[in-house]
Amino acid sequence: MNNYPHEYELSLQQPEKFWLQQAKQLHWFAEPQQGLRPNENGTADWFVDGELNIAFCALDFHVDNGRGDQLALIYDSPVTATKSTYTYRQLRDEVAQFAGLLKKQHVKKGDRVVIYMPMIPQAAIAMLACARLGAVHSVVFGGFAPHELAVRIDDATPKVVITASCGVEVDKVIPYKPYVDEALELAAAPPQHVIVWQREICEARLQEPRDIDWQQALAGVTPAECAVMQATDPLYVLYTSGTTGKPKGVVRDTGGYAVALRYSMRTVYGIEPGQVMFVASDVGWVVGHSYIVYGPLLSGATTVLYEGKPVRTPDAGAFWRICEEYGVQVLFSAPTAFRAIKKEDPQATLLQQHSLDKLERIYMAGERLDPPTLEWTQEVTGKPVYDHWWQTESGWPMCANPVGIAEYPTKPGSATLPVPGYDIRILAPDGTELEANQQGAVAVKLPLPPGCLTTIWGDETRFQAGYLREFSGFYSSGDGGYKDDDGYVFIMGRTDDVINVAGHRFSTGEMEEILAMDPAVAECAVIGVADELKGQVPLGLVIVKDGVTIAPEVLSQRLVQRVRDEIGAVACLRQVHVVPRLPKTRSGKILRRLLRQLADGDSQVAIPSTIDDPGCVDELRQRLSD
Ligand code: COA
Ligand code: AMP
């Protein structure tokens, strides 16, 4: 079987025909007759005359078609010693009832709802309830600090915030509600209500009448019906890091996203209805939106929602236990997770205690999959391991091994081939296309396929400036890479100031803004440096103002704490060096690439001819190697 060349060509040559065909896999209230409507900026709207409700497709449709008693969601929480399951019928009913509660709070089609939740089923229920009503959800990762939450609240202006009393990190209970309270104090336009799911492990204090107890308020609520949505109506806004302190609200439509996810479940993941998918990520990231919540449910599969870590909850056998216990067919997580398992259990002795008979494939994304991790995972599990490349902006894989339609050998370091729908080109800075094996900017020829971002929330100018202007007629991914002679795509890393820490995306520009706010700091730079476990971690370098006498260690600690307080511990800025000088060009631009090379201990550092003060290089090399 190799349908890939045909399907890929068709998707590019006749995109309307191709995607209208794929759209038939879903239940529409009004089936689209029009595939794509071009926009002036080169992008396109998909299925403009289609009407659907994605929560209906994900739940009600399956209940109405014989899957009511099949498991839709399995919740496994080693951190609270809890396991529970939801059939499609149970999940549909809980979603409808919670949607009824939102409706009672006057949440309606088009309103925004911010969801700040740990990995508990109520996070998925809240998302699906918004979708049921046609409200636009914006999930904020629970590891973000109040300031980050406040920034997102101000941008999305939600009618309601939904949260839980706490999250649990390994053995630490993290009360979420005080963070929400603080965020609402910081926010310029806080919403009127906060709905709180009380967890037994830590009950939150509620401020009535603003705060509403989820469990208590549900009593007597009438379940809400599914709203009829245009395919182009926004389903959600998901904030991601850009190059500045202000996160970008990636807007996702409803119909295009549903079609793309449904297609990818078969083509990329090879998942059939009734199979089990375990995606170890978080609903706060795009991976969680697409493949913990919407993708598996749209496909009639079972999703595992895991509240735990790959290690320490309780040990490095956690993933293998889950695969065995629930008969998982597809496991997907970030390479970091597998590096953590490998570090704790290099011989994979814990794996021997579990049967992986049902497991068919392992997927990794979120950061570059280094060949040693790929090889180790393949060797110890005996399963095929697939790297695949995508972003918050794309919403679903752009490069992958299309296992559902073809069999291609994997190549270490490569995310394999462009997925049907994505016309991926490698471009030189002047926009000309580069030949095989030449490294350049990874871009996608417009129009993008269904499912990709449609704009930046409230900021179309930023959307165009950030993604569409660099190369006319192309979407710029922000990643660099190349294609080899066989067309395999190799993603080599970001070309901007975005870094990837344990598969999580952060802006070094934002961290610099936070460091620069400290009264002792005259100048600073934050760079991503290689880290054995997390892929990259941020490193801060600061120059203090004249006359500042604070001890460097004390300042360093203060700055680390500032970033924890403003962004969250998850940013992992653990080191800030106080240095006398930073390498700059004669025009005053900090040479961050050079800094990265020095911090990574690169012995082949080429000192740019534009450098203003070559003497600082040795000084920094010395400082960074201490
Ligand atoms: N809520 C609150 N705090 C959180 C959090 C959350 N949801 N997630 C992380 N944090 C905190 C942690 O408690 C930790 O705090 P600390 O510095 O006080 O100890 C900090 O953020 C860093 O957490 P983490 O990145 O999870 O590092 P770790 O050292 O605890 O664990 C790994 C290392 C590799 C096990 C972990 O990073 C991991 O599981 N990575 C996989 C990531 C992933 O799935 N990415 C999804 C993309 S597909
Ligand atoms: P996010 O938007 O948080 O999903 O992060 C997207 C970024 O992560 C991409 O732009 C890449 O830089 C990186 N990334 C994701 N998947 C891969 C991969 N398979 N290989 C290399 N980099 C990846």
Side-chain angles (χ1 to χ4, degrees), residues 240-241 285-287 335 364-369 387-393 398-399 413-415 477-480 490-494 498 500 503-506:
T240 189
S241 300
W285 307 115
V286 69
V287 174
M364 299 198 205
E367 57 176 318
R368 186 166 176 271
L369 171 53
D387 185 6
H388 61 322
W389 171 68
W390 52 301
Q391 314 176 296
T392 306
E393 289 85 344
M398 297 190 276
C399 282
S414 171
S477 71
D479 282 317
F490 291 73
I491 303 293
M492 304 308 288
R494 299 287 307 189
V498 167
N500 237 289
H504 308 143
R505 180 166 153 181
F506 294 99

Side-chain angles (χ1 to χ4, degrees), residues 172-225:
K172 272 185 300 188
V173 174
I174 304 193
Y176 275 29
K177 182 57 180 19
Y179 287 177
V180 173
D181 292 341
E182 199 182 325
L184 294 196
E185 268 171 36
L186 291 170
Q192 281 183 348
H193 291 295
V194 179
I195 301 178
V196 186
W197 176 264
Q198 295 279 20
R199 304 187 76 182
E200 265 175 34
I201 194 162
C202 153
E203 191 140 324
R205 188 165 333 140
L206 304 188
Q207 295 175 25
E208 286 167 350
R210 187 197 70 184
D211 298 345
I212 296 167
D213 181 311
W214 175 323
Q215 288 100 319
Q216 283 180 11
L218 267 190
V221 162
T222 312
E225 291 303 320

